[in-house]
Amino acid sequence: KILMPVKELVTWEGFRQWPDLPSVYSKAHVLCLPTRHDGWAMVVPEALASGLPVLTTSDAGAAVELVEDGINGWVMPETNVNCIVQALMHIAALSADDLQKFSQSARQSVESHNLETGSSRFIQAAYEALVTFQCRLAEGEVKPSSAFPQLLIAGTYSPDCLNSMSRYVNMVLEAAKSYPGHVERVDLPIIVGGLKWLPVRLSKLFGYVDKYIIFPLMLRRRAMQASQRNDCIVHLTDQGQGLVLPWISDFSVIVTCHDLIAVRGALGEIPAMQRS
């Protein structure tokens, strides 16, 4: 009903597959993403690469890293209707030349944001971590095993529908096929949080029982069983699983930290994104 007066000017694109997105972006001049929380928001670099300046908030991780206010987009100080309307009115008043400058800056800002650069940075960080680890081995802080340790890879909690995390776990498992030792995936159990008759809020709350009480006990039991046969390494594939560390602190543990946006917000490093 709100959009009825301008219904002829509104197009509902609906869900589009990833290969179809460039054609959708090409129809626009600006991307508006008034998110209240998004750990990264892949849509931001996608839009910038398509020449779209981005209007968003500092609650989008990609905005914190990629969007320069007044250069290749705009970062709104608040996420409310008045703030969004004022920002859009400001953009609508820009001349075609000004929009073109923003568009050029948008493309330039993500020229190095590609798979080749990203993989190179990741590999370099991995090598640096390995060098540090080998130093610890040489100092005797970690005793090398004569046999390859068993590797336990923590999976995901499917009710959370974290598709990107699930893909990452599958990538790790695929890479681990070349590992000489035994590899086992340990998915988070769906017991209390999986009760379908629960309201959404209670289901999320009860899910914490699965993730932070039942799962740590289950993971510790599996690690103890594995360590009876050989050394054991536990890989927590998401920093959100870090709360189980006290339960498995007597084993070797690897934690993949995908981003520090929430942590930086909690430390006050991102004023517009405070976290408890």
Side-chain angles (χ1 to χ4, degrees), residues 165-225:
M165 288 297 182
S166 181
R167 288 197 296 270
Y168 175 72
V169 174
N170 291 333
M171 288 170 60
V172 171
L173 288 166
E174 182 65 26
K177 287 181 178 179
S178 60
Y179 179 65
H182 180 73
V183 179
E184 180 180 344
R185 175 174 180 160
V186 184
D187 279 313
L188 282 70
I190 308 169
I191 300 174
V192 182
L195 300 175
K196 295 184 178 180
W197 50 268
L198 284 174
V200 175
R201 288 182 178 272
L202 279 179
S203 180
K204 183 176 179 64
L205 183 63
F206 279 34
Y208 293 145
V209 176
D210 289 341
K211 290 189 278 189
Y212 302 128
I213 297 179
I214 299 176
F215 176 59
L217 290 170
M218 184 180 78
L219 187 60
R220 177 169 181 80
R221 177 172 171 272
R222 288 295 306 113
M224 291 181 68
Q225 290 174 342

Side-chain angles (χ1 to χ4, degrees), residues 99-117:
L99 275 176
Q100 183 61 29
K101 291 178 182 178
F102 273 99
S103 177
Q104 291 174 355
S105 297
R107 284 195 173 91
Q108 291 171 359
S109 66
V110 290
E111 283 181 347
S112 64
H113 192 79
N114 52 50
L115 288 174
E116 291 74 17
T117 304

Side-chain angles (χ1 to χ4, degrees), residues 28-30 51 53 74 90-105 107:
H29 295 94
V30 174
W74 306 267
H90 168 74
I91 295 170
L94 292 175
S95 66
D97 288 341
D98 286 336
L99 275 176
Q100 183 61 29
K101 291 178 182 178
F102 273 99
S103 177
Q104 291 174 355
S105 297
R107 284 195 173 91

Side-chain angles (χ1 to χ4, degrees), residues 114-165:
N114 52 50
L115 288 174
E116 291 74 17
T117 304
S119 60
S120 296
R121 290 173 61 187
F122 185 87
I123 291 170
Q124 180 61 33
Y127 275 122
E128 291 172 3
L130 285 171
V131 169
T132 302
F133 183 66
Q134 291 300 327
C135 290
R136 292 181 60 197
L137 286 177
E139 294 168 3
E141 293 182 19
V142 179
K143 296 181 180 180
S145 173
S146 58
F148 289 98
Q150 181 166 333
L151 181 59
L152 299 182
I153 299 176
T156 59
Y157 189 63
S158 59
D160 286 344
C161 298
L162 301 176
N163 296 326
S164 60
M165 288 297 182

Side-chain angles (χ1 to χ4, degrees), residues 41 67 78 84 100 104 107 138 142 160 172 200 220 229 241 248 256 260 273:
V67 178
E78 300 178 43
I84 297 170
Q100 183 61 29
Q104 291 174 355
R107 284 195 173 91
V142 179
D160 286 344
V172 171
V200 175
R220 177 169 181 80
R229 297 187 295 271
Q241 299 167 350
I248 52 175
T256 298
L260 292 172
M273 190 172 66

